[in-house]
Amino acid sequence: MGPTQHPGRLPQRPAREDRSAIAAQPRPATGSSSASTGGRRSEAARLAVLNAADDLLVEHGFEGLTIEGIAAAAGVAKQTIYRWWKSKVDILFDNLALDSGPALAWPDSPATPADLRVYLHRFAAFLGEEPAGRVLQALLGHAQLDSRTAELLHTGFLDPLRERDVAHTRACLGTSEDEAAALLDALLAPLYHRALVLRRPLDRAFVDTLLDRQLARFTH
């Protein structure tokens, strides 16, 4: 698996058919045309694996996702997959790291409650509708049973995401760090509960009602 990348620090996500900016992509030695061709083949294979994992997760769920199935769907050998990743968890985490940056981006220079409102709608759309949101849901579920997944998800994604979001929330509302953290808990917890427990859509009306209730004391 490639080096951890934090949400909000990723480059803009390329189109799905051209997701080539993956930090862990093995690079061939320079100086020969055969090496260049091999690098393109490796990159194409890696992209195929990531796309296949996304698609199969949506179709079969986490338990039904296997390395064998990913290899078959991507048209690569299992050995090729294990050259880059230890497990399906690592594949899914790379997809999450790659896709979450643009999807969970804040408005430029967030400074008003309206910016927080924009972000929460983006988060709801990500968690409830995006393939990467399904990946996050799957990893959150598996993390309850597997300590390695929990550590990977928290240190590589959730902790940096929260640190960034608390800082931006403070900038939007002029609150203390503790107040910003408590407000985020009050805003995000219902989204996770609705998506993971109730399996109900995170529609705009629900998100707006949640925001109106929680932000009332900051905007009046």
Side-chain angles (χ1 to χ4, degrees):
M1 162 179 181
T4 297
Q5 299 187 60
H6 295 167
R9 301 180 189 176
L10 297 176
Q12 288 297 303
R13 178 182 185 268
R16 180 173 174 83
E17 64 272 14
D18 189 33
R19 278 173 20 186
S20 58
I22 301 168
Q25 171 62 47
R27 300 299 177 186
T30 59
S32 73
S33 58
S34 61
S36 177
T37 301
R40 287 196 296 271
R41 283 198 299 266
S42 293
E43 196 160 351
R46 186 176 175 81
L47 177 61
V49 169
L50 290 170
N51 286 340
D54 259 357
D55 295 339
L56 292 174
L57 177 69
V58 172
E59 185 176 353
H60 299 296
F62 182 83
E63 293 302 324
L65 181 67
T66 65
I67 295 296
E68 291 79 5
I70 296 171
V76 303
K78 285 196 301 181
Q79 292 82 354
T80 299
I81 293 179
Y82 284 120
R83 195 163 67 235
W84 293 318
W85 297 282
K86 294 180 179 179
S87 68
K88 65 182 182 181
V89 166
D90 296 280
I91 299 173
L92 292 176
F93 184 82
D94 269 9
N95 264 330
L96 177 63
L98 181 66
D99 292 348
S100 62
L104 295 181
W106 280 75
D108 292 338
S109 302
T112 70
D115 294 325
L116 176 58
R117 184 176 290 271
V118 168
Y119 175 70
L120 200 73
H121 276 291
R122 286 182 181 174
F123 188 94
F126 170 80
L127 186 63
E129 302 171 14
E130 295 288 331
R134 292 289 297 273
V135 169
L136 177 57
Q137 290 190 41
L139 291 177
L140 284 168
H142 190 61
Q144 309 311 304
L145 306 173
D146 181 73
S147 60
R148 178 180 176 271
T149 301
E151 178 70 14
L152 177 67
L153 189 58
H154 277 275
T155 61
F157 184 78
L158 294 174
D159 293 348
L161 181 70
R162 182 171 178 80
E163 181 180 356
R164 183 202 68 174
D165 289 352
V166 168
H168 286 334
T169 300
R170 291 186 66 189
C172 289
L173 302 178
T175 64
S176 68
E177 183 174 346
D178 287 344
E179 286 177 317
L183 176 62
L184 276 174
D185 286 343
L187 290 172
L188 296 178
L191 301 185
Y192 280 114
H193 181 264
R194 193 174 176 94
L196 290 164
V197 179
L198 301 180
R199 292 292 184 183
R200 297 181 63 186
L202 303 178
D203 55 88
R204 291 192 64 86
F206 171 77
V207 177
D208 277 329
T209 298
L210 181 63
L211 281 160
D212 289 343
R213 289 174 179 171
Q214 295 299 331
L215 293 180
R217 64 192 178 96
F218 295 99
T219 55
H220 291 90

